[in-house]
Each structure stands twice: as C-alpha cells, then as structure tokens.
Amino acid sequence: MTGFADKLAVVTGGGSGMGRELVRQLAAEGCSVATCDWNAEGVGETAATARIGAPGDVLVTGHTCDVSDEQQVQRFRDELVQRHSADRVDLVFCNAGIGGAQSFVASPREEWERTFDVNWWGVYYCARTFLPLLVASGDGVLVNTSSVNGFWATVGPGAPNTAYATSKFAIRGFTEALIEDLRTNAPQVRVALVMPGHVGTDIIANSWRAHGQGSPKEMSGAQLEELVPTSARARLIDAGALPANASDDDVRGLLAQMAKDFRDKAQLTPADAASIILDGVRSGAWRILVGKDAETLDAAIRADPEAAYDYPKLAEAAKALRAGS
C-alpha cells in the first residue's frame, strides 16, 4: 500500500493525540475514516476537524466506543459498515491506550486490570472484529500501537510502570506472532508494530479520567494517596519538587503541571508522530519506531540487553549512541 486515497481506515483512540492526527492526516490524503473513542465529545471534534481538511468525497465518522468491551467494538464495526456502506476495511489502527496502575504490588487491582484491558484487550478485540473486513480488502494493513515500554518495562529508577508495560509487551508479542500467521493463513493482510517514545499527548490526563479520577483539582485525598503515596511524597520533597510539609493542594498542583509538561515539553508532536507512522505503513515496514528517543533506547537495549535495568550503564550506552550519530 503506497497511498491512502480512496481507502477506508479505522482508528481507535481518535479523540485526541496521535489518534486525532492519524484521522486528520488520513482524511487529508483522501482516505475515509471511522474513528472511535470512549470520549464522545473528543471523537466528535476529531471527525469535524478532519472533514474540514478532506476532499469532498471523503467520509469521516466519529463513534463512541470503549475498546475494552468486545460488544462495543462489534457495535462500532456494525455502525461503520452501515454509515460507510462498506464490505471491507483497508487499514485498522489500534491506537487506543491509557496509563495507570504503575505497581503490581501497591496499585489497586481494579486500576491495574482496567489499564491492561484497554491496552491489550482493546487491540485483541479490534483485531478479531475487523480481520474479516481487512481480508476482504485484499490489501489490508493492521497497525498495532505498542510503546518503548514494549521493549523496556519501566520509565526509570523508582518508577515502575507494570500494567502499561505488560500490556505493551503483549501487543508487541501478538503483533510479531501475526507476521507469519498472516503470511500463512491470510496473505491479503499484513501487520505493523508501532513503538512510540515520548509524544506530547494528553495521555496522563486522559488516563486519570478513564480511571474515574477526574482532573487533579477534582481528586479526593484518598485518590491523591493512591497516585502519590506518602513514601513518594517524601522523595519528591527531597528532590525539591514539593515543599516541606506539602499539602494535598500542593500535590494537585504538581500533578497538573506534570500532565501539562508531558504534553507540551515533548520533542515530538502528535502530528509528527502520525506522519512517521503513516510513512512507515506506506513503506511496508513491520516495525515503526517513533521518535529519536525510541530509536536510541531500542539500539542501546539491543546492544546490551543485560544493561536494560542497570540505569547508569544504560544511560552511558544511550549517550554514546547519540554522540556517534
């Protein structure tokens, strides 16, 4: 597939971030799109924005769907078939994802499983549901979004990320396993694995909402304690990120600033990330690293897998790779 004109694509998690940009850029290239998100307002805004920049014969539809629920995914498919008068789909971007439940030991089980369900089961249900329509295309592409946390299961010292990383490893393994499975049993379809580094999205704020926590200003003291337990507050105070004897309002302010900084201070924008992904799909790549940080971290871990969780050694390897590039 060298272009997207006159194709029909599915994009999950289209309410913001990379999903929104995938929808917008696909539509601008003449590709009709059905996009879904659990946030009805967000996905509606995405569809409306994408229509503005699209050729007149392009149809962009927005759908409300929680991808962790198979019945909702099947309903989304049925809506797509009806609204697009479609008997095939050419591209499926399984992009929806949330964070949360950093610790298997300390985080609530319900939060851990909610993160895993959206990220892993969302990909699985969409692949199951849309594969027959991809086969019907005759030239279908399934694009699954993992993460650098699909080959590096943390975000650094004192920062476990187990629910997210476990789900992203699962997506990676599933996608790589599908390469030969599709070649053998459904050669009309190929699969691509997307592994982004830090992209400036609202995933932190969206994850809080997806877990029913709301914005920091809406969080109760108990919710704040789950996100930033007393031991973590002490480390943040020692690091100067919080004042001594920090109040709940101080913690709320820090969380709000962290979410804003994650979105605004990333080296890669969602638009740039979407362009890299679409270029990779056009080229026929099965493995698409998104961002220089993803490329550097991938190379460092491949060079010395035993150093992956020896943080000083990993940092030195990454520094040497950057200096040599």
Side-chain angles (χ1 to χ4, degrees):
M1 186 179 295
T2 57
F4 306 119
D6 302 319
K7 304 293 186 182
L8 174 59
V10 168
V11 179
T12 70
S16 63
M18 291 193 303
R20 173 170 288 180
E21 284 299 321
L22 285 168
V23 174
R24 188 187 65 78
Q25 292 182 30
L26 285 164
E29 292 194 31
C31 182
S32 291
V33 185
T35 183
C36 76
D37 200 284
W38 64 272
N39 184 335
E41 182 179 354
V43 78
E45 183 179 322
T46 295
T49 301
R51 291 185 200 113
I52 295 172
D57 59 344
V58 167
L59 176 61
V60 182
T61 58
H63 307 256
T64 305
C65 174
D66 180 344
V67 294
S68 70
D69 183 330
E70 187 173 16
Q71 290 186 336
Q72 291 193 41
V73 174
Q74 292 170 344
R75 187 194 67 208
F76 169 40
R77 175 204 57 202
D78 294 344
E79 290 175 358
L80 175 157
V81 167
Q82 191 275 323
R83 293 181 66 180
H84 288 260
S85 301
D87 58 2
R88 51 83 183 167
V89 166
D90 302 296
L91 301 124
V92 174
F93 293 85
C94 295
N95 165 79
I98 61 172
Q102 285 74 21
S103 173
F104 184 75
V105 178
S107 297
R109 176 172 177 167
E110 294 78 13
E111 183 181 336
W112 205 100
E113 293 181 356
R114 171 63 174 157
T115 300
F116 189 83
D117 288 351
V118 170
N119 295 353
W120 159 243
W121 288 108
V123 168
Y124 175 82
Y125 290 145
C126 287
R128 280 284 183 200
T129 299
F130 288 105
L131 182 59
L133 293 174
L134 286 169
V135 170
S137 165
D139 185 27
V141 188
L142 173 64
V143 185
N144 294 334
T145 299
S146 178
S147 165
V148 295
N149 288 129
F151 58 78
W152 189 56
T154 180
V155 288
N161 200 22
T162 62
Y164 187 82
T166 302
S167 67
K168 295 302 183 178
F169 265 80
I171 293 166
R172 174 190 169 191
F174 174 60
T175 305
E176 293 195 24
L178 281 177
I179 294 172
E180 187 57 37
D181 194 351
L182 293 173
R183 282 176 183 164
T184 303
N185 295 299
Q188 310 93 328
V189 182
R190 65 180 175 88
V191 68
L193 175 68
V194 176
M195 308 192 86
H198 182 186
V199 179
T201 71
D202 282 315
I203 188 172
I204 293 178
N206 288 340
S207 297
W208 290 332
R209 286 192 287 271
H211 287 291
Q213 295 161 326
S215 66
K217 67 181 179 182
E218 298 169 318
M219 292 178 188
S220 67
Q223 288 173 324
L224 290 173
E225 179 62 24
E226 283 184 12
L227 284 172
V228 189
T230 301
S231 59
R233 289 195 193 196
R235 290 196 298 270
L236 289 166
I237 290 169
D238 289 342
L242 283 172
N245 302 314
S247 67
D248 282 353
D249 281 341
D250 290 325
V251 176
R252 291 185 180 96
L254 177 63
L255 290 173
Q257 189 62 48
M258 286 170 54
K260 183 176 185 299
D261 288 347
F262 184 92
R263 182 193 64 204
D264 296 343
K265 294 186 177 181
Q267 294 184 354
L268 200 66
T269 67
D272 290 337
S275 294
I276 292 169
I277 294 167
L278 295 179
D279 286 346
V281 172
R282 281 192 204 90
S283 74
W286 73 263
R287 190 172 190 268
I288 304 168
L289 293 168
V290 180
K292 293 296 183 184
D293 56 343
E295 294 172 5
T296 300
L297 185 58
D298 175 64
I301 291 173
R302 284 174 173 272
D304 187 358
E306 287 293 326
Y309 305 104
D310 181 338
Y311 301 120
K313 192 173 181 181
L314 181 63
E316 282 300 314
K319 182 178 179 181
L321 284 166
R322 288 192 295 268
S325 63

